[in-house]
Amino acid sequence: MRTQTRPVAKGTRDPRFPEHLQTVCRFEDELFAEIRPRAIAERTSFNEQVRILVEWGLEAARGGTAQ
């Protein structure tokens, strides 16, 4: 994985979904191959599965407390 050389994303708003920010995320093949079957098994989109995993990771980083 390379070191960040560009500014950190601020996200953009899609007028169709004004309550959400969007950004582009790239995955290494191995990580993508781990997420995709989870999405299929859970019958969610790939993006929804990524949001769930990010939320879990943030909760774990906060010590398991929701904010």
Side-chain angles (χ1 to χ4, degrees):
M1 188 164 292
R2 293 186 291 180
T3 303
Q4 175 72 25
T5 57
R6 297 174 51 179
V8 174
K10 295 179 183 176
T12 57
R13 296 242 183 239
D14 183 330
R16 298 171 297 166
F17 307 100
E19 67 278 5
H20 295 124
L21 287 169
Q22 69 182 31
T23 186
V24 173
C25 189
R26 292 176 180 82
F27 296 95
E28 295 172 347
D29 291 346
E30 289 177 4
L31 186 55
F32 185 91
E34 191 171 341
I35 297 168
R36 187 171 184 273
R38 291 180 64 98
I40 292 168
E42 297 288 327
R43 301 186 66 151
T44 65
S45 68
F46 183 87
N47 287 341
E48 179 64 18
Q49 197 60 220
V50 169
R51 284 189 292 271
I52 290 167
L53 294 168
V54 167
E55 184 177 336
W56 290 352
L58 289 172
E59 286 176 3
R62 290 191 297 257
T65 60
Q67 283 186 339

